[in-house]
Amino acid sequence: MRVVILGCGYIGIELGRQLTTAGHDVIGVRRSESGCEAIEDAGFSPHQADLTEGDDLAGLPDADWVVFAASSGGRDAAAARKIYVDALGDAIDSYGARESPPDGLIYTSSTGVYGDHDGEWVDEETPLEPTTAKTEVLVEAERIARERAAAHGIDGTVARFSGLYGPDRYRLDRYLDGPVTEGYLNMVHRVDAAGAVAFLLTEDCARDEVVLVTDDEPADKWEFADWLADQCGVETPPKQTTEERLAESDLSDAGRRRVLTSKRCSNDYLRKLGYEFTYPTYREGYRDAVDTYTAE
């Protein structure tokens, strides 16, 4: 199949690498020349375009499947809306108006749409409760990915990622130095985030559905930090309760919301579909980072 990855960055490049290795025709779309060079270095074809420009959208390559994995490039809701709502909707309309529209679309979303669940489990059936203007935008984007795509006869799927980690995103110092605030970490390694999307494409499953993409074990932050310290041969970091962190004067409003947001994400449906993880928990996923740290 031919797959066009719009916003081919951290996950998109890994996805393109995996699909190309499997024999598919992949084109990665980035706005910058350096981004296109990174795609070329990864072994598949780049296409330079700005997803917010109508002329650029019209010139995007035809595809059997489109993956929308673009980043907003900013933390505020306005930046998010420009990419996740406006550019996504325009891309769907542009592809849907073609003589041969794509068979399907996969939009990569975030578990931030769930809001706070006081440490309880969430899955694809859990009602969404966005707590910020940005996560409200992400909820709207999920609706667009499925409903507007369907209006054009395109099957829209939402891959809802938990916290991404992997090369360049291990954050070892943050957990080794501390202080570490209590709560849960829901994570998925870059290889498995991309791998799950590749699986949905190549196995042709979960059309017009939501799939939560997270690893097998939501990690207790204190246990995770102590495990890292033990593996790296250093002292365990200082800990703090939620109440202690909330009492600190340097905590921003956004930081306060993050501290108050707690949930455990289930990958039961992804497992039921048949996906097999390369890094089922942080213990496997952080192995390379730990080995690099101890070798320095």
Side-chain angles (χ1 to χ4, degrees):
M1 72 180 84
R2 170 181 269 199
V3 179
V4 173
I5 305 171
L6 305 180
C8 192
Y10 189 68
I11 297 302
I13 285 180
E14 177 62 26
L15 172 62
R17 185 183 294 117
Q18 292 184 23
L19 289 172
T20 299
T21 299
H24 300 287
D25 178 17
V26 186
I27 300 171
V29 177
R30 289 283 288 272
R31 180 172 56 186
S32 68
E33 186 174 335
S34 61
C36 288
E37 289 173 355
I39 292 169
E40 198 165 31
D41 290 343
F44 57 104
S45 301
H47 179 93
Q48 190 169 357
D50 185 336
L51 300 179
T52 65
E53 295 293 333
D55 289 344
D56 283 8
L57 288 176
L60 292 174
D62 286 337
D64 299 312
W65 279 83
V66 172
V67 176
F68 193 96
S71 168
S72 66
R75 289 186 174 271
D76 62 34
R81 176 168 294 277
K82 185 175 181 181
I83 297 298
Y84 300 132
V85 171
D86 299 338
L88 172 63
D90 290 345
I92 292 171
D93 290 342
S94 178
Y95 270 108
R98 298 188 181 192
E99 184 175 341
S100 297
D103 196 27
L105 165 86
I106 294 181
Y107 165 68
T108 61
S109 185
S110 163
T111 55
V113 296
Y114 287 114
D116 178 42
H117 286 268
D118 196 27
E120 296 299 316
W121 287 93
V122 299
D123 60 18
E124 290 81 359
E125 303 302 318
T126 303
L128 304 185
E129 299 176 4
T131 56
T132 67
K134 182 174 181 179
T135 52
E136 288 175 357
V137 169
L138 297 181
V139 170
E140 184 178 353
E142 289 193 4
R143 178 185 58 79
I144 288 171
R146 298 177 68 190
E147 294 181 4
R148 193 178 301 188
H152 290 289
I154 300 169
D155 289 328
T157 298
V158 172
R160 195 177 283 159
F161 292 154
S162 64
L164 299 169
Y165 76 100
D168 301 321
R169 293 195 185 185
Y170 282 115
R171 302 174 185 173
L172 271 181
D173 291 344
R174 173 180 175 183
Y175 290 100
L176 292 179
D177 296 344
V180 179
T181 306
E182 66 181 327
Y184 288 105
L185 285 171
N186 297 279
M187 298 183 284
V188 62
H189 193 283
R190 176 193 192 190
V191 166
D192 284 310
V197 174
F199 174 83
L200 297 177
L201 290 169
T202 56
E203 297 300 313
D204 194 15
C205 57
R207 287 178 178 240
D208 193 29
E209 293 184 4
V210 175
V211 180
L212 207 168
V213 181
T214 190
D215 70 17
D216 287 349
E217 184 181 331
D220 178 285
K221 291 181 183 179
W222 289 0
E223 291 181 7
F224 172 63
D226 285 351
W227 178 86
L228 277 180
D230 177 69
Q231 295 296 305
C232 291
V234 300
E235 293 185 4
T236 56
K239 316 291 196 307
Q240 60 183 181
T241 65
T242 299
E243 290 73 19
E244 288 170 337
R245 182 64 177 122
L246 291 174
E248 294 182 353
S249 60
D250 66 339
L251 189 61
S252 65
D253 288 342
R256 178 176 295 274
R257 284 192 293 268
R258 284 195 297 272
V259 171
L260 289 171
T261 299
S262 181
K263 58 186 176 289
R264 286 178 286 173
C265 296
S266 168
N267 68 9
D268 284 354
Y269 184 51
L270 180 58
R271 282 290 199 180
K272 182 179 178 181
L273 289 171
Y275 181 69
E276 295 292 334
F277 281 79
T278 301
Y279 303 106
T281 76
Y282 63 83
R283 297 174 190 84
E284 297 84 11
Y286 265 81
R287 189 75 262 156
D288 286 347
V290 168
D291 290 345
T292 299
Y293 182 92
T294 57
E296 291 178 349

